[in-house]
C-alpha cells in the first residue's frame, strides 16, 4: 500500500485535514539526558557506550544490552530483533538512544529503543508524535504535515474582535505551536492539553459541534409534522386515562407531559428526550403523549431494545388503553407467523392505534397507515440508522415526518447534554413517585457468600422474592466468574425446598416469558438472571437484589439493576457481591453505588470515570466523538462555545459557514440522527 493510501486511511486527503491531525504527545529530542536522571514513564534521549549484550533463550528469545554514560547504566531490551541489531550492540560501540523508560525486574530499562549515531544535530523543537496507521512511520507523517502547513489556508475563521474578547490565541499561531513547539514552551501544559494553543483548538472544535447540532435541529424544524393539539375536554382520552389511574401524577410528570404536549401541537417534528431515574414513571408520560396523538387520528409506535422490556410496556399500555377503546398491537420476533400476519394487517389498515414491539417494527413488510409519533425506549441501545428507519416508515408522500420521543433511564450529565445532545429538547423527571422506599445498598466480599445465601433463605421465609444477577451465562476460560448456570445449580442445592428460577438471553423467548411470568406471580422465590432483567422488569414483591461480581459491571448498569427492587412498600436491599482484589476504577464504582441513589449524580460519576464514549452508546453510530476537547475538564469551554454559537447563528451566518467548512469537512454524518 502506498504512503498516500495509508494517509487516506487516516482521513488525510487535503491540507486542511493534515493541519488538524494533531499530536497525541511530544518527545523532547532537544537535549541529551543523563541516565542517572531518568525515571519510569519518561521519554528519554541518552548517549552512551554499550557495556555488554546477550541473547536470552528463556522465557522467550530476546536481545538484551546494557549501556552506560558518566552517571549510570540502563538496560535495553528487544523482544524481537534482527542480526543487524545484535551487531549494533557489540561492547564498546557508542550510540544515541531514544525511548520510554520502564521499571524492569533488575532496574530501569528501555524496550525496543530507537538508535542513531552520536553527534547528529539536536532537534530545535519538541518532536510531535501523531496518531498513525500500520506501515506509516512518524517521519513520513511529519513530512506530509510540514508540507501541508505551507499549503493550507490558516486564516482565522473567527472575527478578530471575538478572538480578542475571549483572549484566544490566533488559529495560525495555535496550529504552528502544536505541530512544532519550541523547547522553551511548557511541555506539561502541551501534554495535558492546557496550553493556550490547545485551548484555541478545543474551543474551535466545540464551537463547530454546537453549530452543526444547531444546524441539524434547524433542518428538522424545517420539516413538516402533523400538529396534535392538546384536547382539554374532560372526555378526552388523556383526561379519561388520568381519571382511571389509581395514582396521581407527580409534579415532575405533569411538567414534562406539558412540555411534550406542547411539542406535539407544533407543525414541525418533535425531537425530545425524556430522561428519568429508574422507577420515575416515564411510561405513563409516554402513554399520555401517545393518547394525544391517537385522539387526532394518528398511530403511535413504541420500540424497545429487548422483548422483556417491550412486553412489559405492552402489558402496561394495554391495561391502560384498551378500556378507552384503543387497540394495542404486539409485534416482536417471537410472534407466530399467523399472529404476525394479523398484526401487519391491523397496522396497515390503521385499526391498530398503538403498536408496541422490538426491532421487528422496522423490518420489511411493516407498513403503517398513519404513523404520527414514535417512542423509542432506552434510546442509547439503538443506532442512528434503526431510529431513522422507524421514523421513515411514518413519512408520507407530502413529507410529513412523525414526532419522536426517546426515553432513557440513564440520566445524562449536564455537560454531555450541552454537547452531544444539544440538538434535542430534554425533559427530566427529577422526582420519584411517593411510596417508593429508599434501597439499602451493601457491599459484601465473595468469601461471605454462605452468609448471604442464609439471608436469602430468611427473606424468602418472610414472603419476599430475590433477584440474583450474574454477568455470564456459561463458563468462560478468560474470566473466573460465577456463571448464571452454575449459580442456579448451586442455589437450587443450597436453598432446598425453594423454587429457584433461571432466565438469560439465550433462552427461547417463550421460555423466558414463562419464567418471568412465574416470578411476577410469586411462583419463583429466587430468580437467577443475567442482565436481561436490567430494564423493564417490575415485580413489587422482589425486595432483595444480589449482584454477583459487581466489580465487573459498569456504574450505570449497576444503578439500573438496583432499580429492579424498591418498587413496593417493603424495605429493599441491594447487595453488591465483589471479588478481591479490586481495581481502582471498580473501587470507585462500588463506592459511588454505596454513597448515592441519585441517578443524575451516578451519571456524572460515570462520565468522570469512563468519559463520554461509552455513555453515548449507539447514538454515536456514524458520529465521531470529540477529538481534542475533554468533557470532564472543559465544561467552561462548552458553555462559552454555546454562547458564541447562538450569537454567530443570529448575526454572522458567513462566519458559521466558514467555521463549519474547516471543521466539518468529510463529517457530514455529524448532522444526522
Amino acid at each position: 500500500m502506498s504512503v498516500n493510501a495509508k494517509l487516506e486511511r487516516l482521513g488525510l486527503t487535503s491540507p486542511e485535514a493534515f493541519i488538524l491531525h494533531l499530536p497525541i504527545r511530544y518527545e523532547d529530542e532537544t537535549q541529551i539526558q543523563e541516565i542517572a536522571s531518568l525515571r519510569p514513564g519518561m521519554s528519554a534521549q541518552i548517549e552512551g557506550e554499550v557495556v555488554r549484550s546477550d541473547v536470552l533463550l528463556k522465557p522467550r528469545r530476546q536481545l538484551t544490552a546494557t549501556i552506560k554514560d558518566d552517571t549510570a547504566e540502563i538496560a535495553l531490551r528487544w523482544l524481537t530483533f534482527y542480526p543487524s541489531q545484535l551487531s549494533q550492540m557489540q561492547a564498546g560501540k557508542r550510540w544515541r538512544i531514544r525511548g520510554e523508560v520502564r521499571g524492569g525486574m533488575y532496574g530501569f530499562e528501555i524496550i525496543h529503543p530507537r538508535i542513531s549515531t552520536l553527534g547528529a544535530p539536536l532537534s530545535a523543537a519538541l518532536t510531535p508524535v501523531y496518531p498513525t496507521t500500520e506501515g506509516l512511520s512518524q517521519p513520513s507523517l511529519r513530512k506530509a504535515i510540514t508540507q501541508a502547513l505551507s499549503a493550507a489556508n490558516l486564516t482565522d475563521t473567527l472575527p478578530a474582535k471575538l478572538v480578542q474578547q475571549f483572549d484566544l490565541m490566533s488559529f495560525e499561531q495555535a496550529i504552528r505551536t502544536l505541530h512544532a513547539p519550541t523547547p522553551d514552551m511548557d511541555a506539561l501544559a502541551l501534554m495535558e492539553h492546557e496550553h493556550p494553543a490547545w485551548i484555541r483548538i478545543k474551543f474551535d472544535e466545540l464551537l463547530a459541534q454546537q453549530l452543526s447540532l444547531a444546524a441539524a435541529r434547524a433542518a428538522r424544524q424545517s420539516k413538516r409534522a402533523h400538529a396534535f393539539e392538546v384536547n382539554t375536554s374532560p372526555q378526552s382520552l388523556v383526561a379519561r386515562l388520568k381519571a382511571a389511574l389509581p395514582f396521581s401524577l407527580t409534579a415532575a410528570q405533569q411538567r414534562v407531559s406539558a412540555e411534550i404536549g406542547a411539542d406535539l401541537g407544533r407543525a414541525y417534528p418533535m425531537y425530545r428526550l425524556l430522561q428519568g431515574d429508574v422507577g420515575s414513571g416515564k411510561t405513563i408520560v409516554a402513554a399520555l403523549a401517545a393518547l394525544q396523538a391517537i385522539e387526532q387520528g394518528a398511530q403511535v409506535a413504541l420500540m424497545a431494545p429487548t422483548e422483556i422490556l417491550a412486553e412489559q410496556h405492552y402489558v402496561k399500555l394495554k391495561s391502560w388503553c384498551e378500556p378507552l377503546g384503543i387497540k394495542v398491537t404486539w409485534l416482536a420476533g417471537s410472534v407466530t407467523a399467523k399472529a404476525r400476519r394479523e398484526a401487519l394487517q391491523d397496522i396497515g389498515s390503521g385499526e391498530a392505534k398503538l403498536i408496541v414491539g422490538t426491532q421487528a417494527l422496522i423490518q420489511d413488510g411493516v407498513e403503517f397507515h398513519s404513523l404520527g409519533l414514535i417512542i423509542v425506549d432506552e434510546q442509547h441501545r439503538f443506532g442512528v440508522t434503526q431510529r431513522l428507519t422507524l421514523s421513515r416508515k411514518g413519512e408520507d408522500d407530502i413529507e410529513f415526518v412523525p414526532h419522536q420521543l426517546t426515553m432513557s433511564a440513564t440520566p445524562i450529565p449536564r455537560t454531555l447534554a450541552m454537547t452531544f445532545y444539544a440538538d434535542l429538547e430534554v425533559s427530566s423527571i427529577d422526582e420519584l413517585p411517593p411510596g417508593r422506599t429508599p434501597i439499602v445498598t451493601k457491599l459484601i466480599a465473595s468469601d461471605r457468600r454462605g452468609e448471604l445465601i442464609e439471608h436469602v433463605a430468611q427473606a424468602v421465609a418472610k414472603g419476599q422474592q430475590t433477584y440474583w444477577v450474574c454477568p455470564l451465562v456459561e463458563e468462560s476460560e478468560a474470566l473466573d466468574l460465577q456463571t448464571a448456570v452454575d449459580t442456579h445449580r448451586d442455589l437450587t442445592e443450597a436453598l432446598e425446598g425453594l423454587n429457584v428460577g433461571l432466565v438469560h438471553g439465550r433462552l427461547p423467548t417463550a421460555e423466558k416469558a414463562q419464567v418471568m411470568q412465574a416470578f411476577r406471580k410469586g411462583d419463583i422465590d429466587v430468580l437467577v438472571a443475567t442482565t436481561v432483567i436490567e430494564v423493564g422488569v417490575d415485580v413489587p414483591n422482589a425486595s432483595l437484589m444480589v449482584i454477583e461480581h459487581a466489580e465487573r459491571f459498569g456504574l450505570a448498569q449497576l444503578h439500573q439493576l438496583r432499580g429492579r427492587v424498591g418498587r413496593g412498600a417493603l424495605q429493599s436491599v441491594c447487595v453488591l457481591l465483589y471479588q478481591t482484589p479490586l481495581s481502582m476504577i471498580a473501587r470507585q464504582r462500588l463506592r459511588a453505588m454505596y454513597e448515592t441513589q441519585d441517578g443524575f449524580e451516578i451519571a456524572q460519576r460515570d462520565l468522570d470515570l469512563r468519559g463520554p464514549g461509552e455513555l453515548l452508546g449507539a447514538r454515536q453510530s456514524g458520529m465521531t466523538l470529540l477529538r481534542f476537547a475533554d468533557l470532564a475538564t472543559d465544561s467552561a469551554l462548552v458553555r462559552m462555545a454555546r454562547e458564541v454559537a447562538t450569537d454567530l447563528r443570529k448575526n454572522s451566518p458567513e462566519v458559521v459557514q466558514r467555521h463549519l467548512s474547516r471543521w466539518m469537512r468529510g463529517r457530514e454524518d455529524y448532522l444526522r440522527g
Side-chain angles (χ1 to χ4, degrees):
M1 187 183 291
S2 67
V3 171
N4 284 342
K6 291 170 186 172
L7 291 170
E8 283 182 20
R9 282 175 61 180
L10 293 174
L12 304 180
T13 56
S14 67
E16 288 70 24
F18 276 100
I19 65 170
L20 290 175
H21 192 73
L22 297 174
I24 50 174
R25 59 186 174 87
Y26 298 91
E27 292 180 348
D28 187 353
E29 298 180 1
T30 66
Q31 58 182 325
I32 303 298
Q33 293 149 297
E34 294 180 336
I35 293 176
S37 71
L38 303 183
R39 295 291 179 270
M42 289 178 61
S43 182
Q45 179 168 249
I46 58 176
E47 290 184 344
E49 179 181 329
V50 178
V51 177
R52 56 188 169 274
S53 64
D54 196 9
V55 175
L56 303 180
L57 300 179
K58 293 183 178 180
R60 58 180 290 181
R61 191 169 185 271
Q62 55 187 296
L63 171 62
T64 65
T66 301
I67 192 167
K68 70 170 185 177
D69 64 6
D70 294 336
T71 66
E73 296 182 349
I74 190 169
L76 310 178
R77 187 151 59 101
W78 291 260
L79 302 177
T80 58
F81 61 94
Y82 299 102
S84 60
Q85 290 168 311
L86 179 59
S87 174
Q88 286 176 324
M89 289 298 109
Q90 297 303 308
K93 291 193 173 183
R94 296 177 59 81
W95 300 104
R96 180 176 293 172
I97 305 289
R98 293 188 299 277
E100 183 181 337
V101 180
R102 300 187 182 190
M105 190 176 296
Y106 304 109
F108 298 161
E109 65 178 3
I110 299 175
I111 298 177
H112 288 280
R114 298 187 300 284
I115 298 174
S116 59
T117 56
L118 269 65
L122 294 172
S123 175
L126 296 174
T127 303
V129 178
Y130 294 98
T132 188
T133 188
E134 186 178 356
L136 183 62
S137 69
Q138 289 292 326
S140 298
L141 200 44
R142 289 187 199 115
K143 180 180 178 182
I145 289 171
T146 300
Q147 290 173 344
L149 281 168
S150 61
N153 178 6
L154 299 178
T155 307
D156 224 304
T157 56
L158 303 182
K161 182 180 177 182
L162 184 65
V163 173
Q164 293 166 4
Q165 178 186 347
F166 290 102
D167 195 24
L168 296 170
M169 183 179 280
S170 75
F171 179 77
E172 180 174 2
Q173 186 183 356
I175 286 293
R176 294 195 182 281
T177 296
L178 293 177
H179 284 298
T182 55
D184 60 340
M185 287 184 180
D186 186 340
L188 183 61
L190 284 168
M191 295 295 289
E192 297 293 331
H193 286 205
E194 293 172 353
H195 191 278
W198 275 119
I199 299 299
R200 173 58 199 267
I201 294 303
K202 290 192 290 186
F203 173 76
D204 275 21
E205 179 184 42
L206 287 166
L207 177 60
Q209 186 202 46
Q210 292 295 317
L211 291 171
S212 66
L213 289 173
R217 176 186 290 197
R220 276 194 293 272
Q221 291 181 352
S222 69
K223 296 177 181 177
R224 300 172 66 192
H226 292 286
F228 306 125
E229 295 180 5
V230 177
N231 185 341
T232 57
S233 163
Q235 296 306 311
S236 71
L237 291 174
V238 168
R240 288 165 59 197
L241 176 57
K242 286 182 179 179
L245 292 173
F247 56 85
S248 299
L249 297 185
T250 65
Q253 288 170 328
Q254 292 177 38
R255 184 188 72 248
V256 300
S257 287
E259 291 169 353
I260 295 166
D263 276 3
L264 290 173
R266 298 190 176 104
Y268 57 83
M270 170 177 73
Y271 195 70
R272 185 172 285 274
L273 171 67
L274 172 61
Q275 63 174 358
D277 214 338
V278 177
S280 61
K282 296 181 294 298
T283 308
I284 185 59
V285 172
L288 295 171
L291 291 178
Q292 182 174 332
I294 289 169
E295 185 141 48
Q296 299 187 42
Q299 288 176 301
V300 176
L302 188 152
M303 184 169 71
T306 66
E307 280 209 21
I308 285 182
L309 177 54
E311 186 184 20
Q312 184 89 15
H313 282 309
Y314 173 67
V315 170
K316 194 170 283 187
L317 291 167
K318 189 175 181 181
S319 71
W320 287 337
C321 296
E322 288 206 336
L324 303 175
I326 306 299
K327 184 172 179 60
V328 183
T329 295
W330 166 249
L331 189 62
S334 63
V335 301
T336 63
K338 180 183 177 185
R340 176 179 165 80
R341 280 195 303 272
E342 291 174 356
L344 293 182
Q345 185 176 340
D346 289 345
I347 294 168
S349 68
E351 184 179 344
K353 295 300 184 186
L354 177 54
I355 302 93
V356 182
T358 58
Q359 294 178 47
L361 293 176
I362 61 175
Q363 291 173 355
D364 290 342
V366 182
E367 299 295 336
F368 292 89
H369 181 264
S370 54
L371 184 59
L373 168 64
I374 64 174
I375 301 170
V376 182
D377 197 13
E378 293 302 311
Q379 55 84 32
H380 60 283
R381 296 189 176 201
F382 290 106
V384 172
T385 305
Q386 291 166 311
R387 296 200 305 277
L388 283 177
T389 301
L390 181 55
S391 179
R392 284 172 183 150
K393 283 183 177 288
E395 293 180 8
D396 59 25
D397 294 336
I398 50 175
E399 295 191 356
F400 278 99
V401 176
H403 296 280
Q404 182 167 280
L405 176 66
T406 59
M407 302 194 294
S408 176
T410 304
I412 299 164
R414 178 165 169 72
T415 315
L416 213 55
M418 287 193 299
T419 48
F420 291 98
Y421 289 89
D423 57 329
L424 295 134
E425 302 293 343
V426 179
S427 291
S428 300
I429 304 179
D430 49 12
E431 65 175 312
L432 292 178
R436 289 296 300 268
T437 54
I439 303 165
V440 175
T441 302
K442 295 185 177 182
L443 307 180
I444 296 181
S446 57
D447 57 8
R448 294 176 58 196
R449 185 184 180 84
E451 295 175 43
L452 184 56
I453 292 174
E454 287 180 25
H455 182 77
V456 169
Q458 292 167 10
V460 173
K462 295 175 184 175
Q464 300 171 27
Q465 291 171 275
T466 299
Y467 293 102
W468 194 297
V469 181
C470 303
L472 294 176
V473 177
E474 295 168 351
E475 199 168 330
S476 162
E477 293 179 5
L479 297 172
D480 179 25
L481 304 185
Q482 190 78 14
T483 66
V485 174
D486 288 345
T487 300
H488 177 255
R489 184 194 62 230
D490 295 346
L491 290 179
T492 300
E493 292 175 3
L495 298 169
E496 191 175 351
L498 300 185
N499 193 351
V500 181
L502 174 64
V503 65
H504 55 73
R506 296 184 195 173
L507 278 182
T509 302
E511 190 176 339
K512 205 185 309 178
Q514 189 177 356
V515 173
M516 292 308 305
Q517 185 59 26
F519 189 57
R520 286 191 196 99
K521 288 167 59 181
D523 296 339
I524 291 176
D525 303 305
V526 178
L527 180 64
V528 178
T530 56
T531 54
V532 294
I533 57 97
E534 179 184 342
V535 291
V537 180
D538 189 356
V539 182
N541 192 50
S543 57
L544 176 59
M545 163 77 69
V546 178
I547 303 178
E548 187 101 46
H549 283 282
E551 75 278 3
R552 299 279 184 176
F553 290 90
L555 191 48
Q557 199 172 38
L558 286 172
H559 183 60
Q560 286 273 1
L561 288 166
R562 178 169 62 182
R564 295 305 107 211
V565 293
R567 306 179 84 81
L570 293 170
Q571 173 66 70
S572 292
V573 177
C574 177
V575 176
L576 304 178
L577 196 61
Y578 65 89
Q579 192 170 55
T580 56
L582 288 173
S583 67
M584 180 60 71
I585 194 165
R587 196 183 303 274
Q588 289 174 305
R589 278 198 212 111
L590 297 184
R591 181 185 298 127
M593 288 292 293
Y594 181 76
E595 289 176 349
T596 182
Q597 292 184 39
D598 183 337
F600 290 87
E601 172 66 19
I602 292 236
Q604 184 59 52
R605 294 201 194 187
D606 209 16
L607 174 63
D608 295 341
L609 286 173
R610 292 195 291 165
E614 290 181 69
L615 263 65
L616 287 162
R619 173 176 167 82
Q620 288 311 116
S621 298
M623 187 193 284
T624 309
L625 285 170
L626 293 168
R627 291 184 287 169
F628 311 121
D630 181 348
L631 298 188
T633 57
D634 295 326
S635 56
L637 282 179
V638 172
R639 287 190 291 272
M640 194 165 90
R642 277 170 65 88
E643 178 186 327
V644 171
T646 301
D647 180 65
L648 290 178
R649 281 183 59 81
K650 183 178 178 182
N651 300 312
S652 306
E654 73 288 349
V655 174
V656 171
Q657 190 55 47
R658 198 163 61 224
H659 194 74
L660 284 176
S661 177
R662 167 172 285 162
W663 279 92
M664 308 310 292
R665 189 187 304 268
R667 299 174 75 193
E668 291 78 8
D669 55 356
Y670 215 96
L671 298 175
R672 298 192 208 120

